[in-house]
Amino acid sequence: MHALTSRSRGLTVGALATALLLTACGGGSDSPKANDKVAGADRGGTRSATPSASASDDADRPDITLPKDLRDKFENWSTGDAAKDAVLADVGRRVDATNYAIAEGDAELPALGVYYSGTALADAGDWVTSIVKGGYSITGVNRYYNAKIDLLDSASAGVVYCEDQSKAFAKDRKTGKVIKTAVTAKSYVLYSTRLEKNEKGVWQTTKLTSQRGQKSCTP
């Protein structure tokens, strides 16, 4: 499912780093038809942290603290609609949990099972493992924006959003060396997700696909 797999072993360090960064924060597979409906969406300019958990659920969500050299920034990550904001909050937490798993080199991080389910959980674990086995982690700033939420019913939703990876880089796990790559249209990624609300009130990602260089996400 993920762009960085065992096939990457024959790549040069620079190419591997590029492959890593183009998928490092979403964990999705490339999909050439991913949600063109967001094309032309306005880009927000206000930075915001991941919203807090809804007071209406009793889920015991894990605390995630990213390393000092890694930041996830969420722009306009709230709508003012409580139901939609609850979905966005768990999307943001899933992003944080995934990046934390990469930084820690732990494909079995329990937090992944909180925010993913089904095949998406298995795919996320495999993808984190492939990055760690390649000898890489991530560093820098990942920016998320242009989130669009579609509430399908009380327990299912679709979310598309953009990621700016222009300030995020691969890092050699052994040496700590940061491998900087040129910024191109493929540094911007469109993600399409399907979420289901579990019995504890957590919106879990059940499907995630990505498209690099999608025009609605590029500057």
Side-chain angles (χ1 to χ4, degrees):
M1 176 178 177
H2 306 291
L4 183 61
T5 66
S6 58
R7 290 177 297 174
S8 298
R9 293 174 184 172
L11 298 177
T12 65
V13 170
L16 180 58
T18 300
L20 168 62
L21 290 175
L22 289 173
T23 56
C25 307
S29 62
D30 291 321
S31 174
K33 298 180 181 180
N35 283 277
D36 288 337
K37 65 181 181 180
V38 301
D42 293 334
R43 294 183 61 176
T46 303
R47 300 175 185 176
S48 64
T50 308
S52 58
S54 169
S56 63
D57 68 59
D58 299 320
D60 183 16
R61 291 174 172 82
D63 291 327
I64 298 293
T65 302
L66 295 176
K68 293 181 179 180
D69 68 334
L70 180 62
R71 290 182 60 198
D72 290 338
K73 292 168 53 178
F74 300 88
E75 290 186 355
N76 292 339
W77 212 251
S78 62
T79 66
D81 180 291
K84 290 183 177 181
D85 287 348
V87 178
L88 275 182
D90 280 337
V91 171
R93 295 186 189 98
R94 187 259 300 159
V95 169
D96 284 344
T98 306
N99 289 343
Y100 183 74
I102 297 170
E104 291 294 298
D106 185 0
E108 298 183 1
L109 185 76
L112 295 179
V114 174
Y115 298 115
Y116 289 95
S117 66
T119 56
L121 174 58
D123 289 338
D126 289 345
W127 171 72
V128 173
T129 295
S130 69
I131 294 173
V132 174
K133 285 186 176 181
Y136 291 89
S137 182
I138 53 175
T139 187
V141 179
N142 305 286
R143 182 172 67 93
Y144 304 90
Y145 54 98
N146 276 7
K148 304 296 179 183
I149 310 96
D150 184 10
L151 291 176
L152 306 176
D153 54 46
S154 61
S156 61
V159 178
V160 294
Y161 61 93
C162 296
E163 180 189 12
D164 171 5
Q165 298 176 347
S166 64
K167 296 182 179 179
F169 306 99
K171 182 174 70 172
D172 188 286
R173 301 192 76 88
K174 290 183 178 180
T175 67
K177 180 181 178 181
V178 176
I179 304 168
K180 294 189 175 183
T181 52
V183 176
T184 69
K186 290 187 176 181
S187 300
Y188 302 88
V189 188
L190 174 70
Y191 293 98
S192 174
T193 65
R194 166 85 179 194
L195 298 102
E196 304 287 342
K197 188 177 183 180
N198 69 12
E199 66 281 0
K200 295 181 180 180
V202 177
W203 286 92
Q204 295 182 306
T205 295
T206 60
K207 182 179 180 181
L208 193 160
T209 60
S210 64
Q211 182 181 3
R212 308 171 188 175
Q214 217 277 349
K215 291 183 178 179
S216 64
C217 294
T218 54

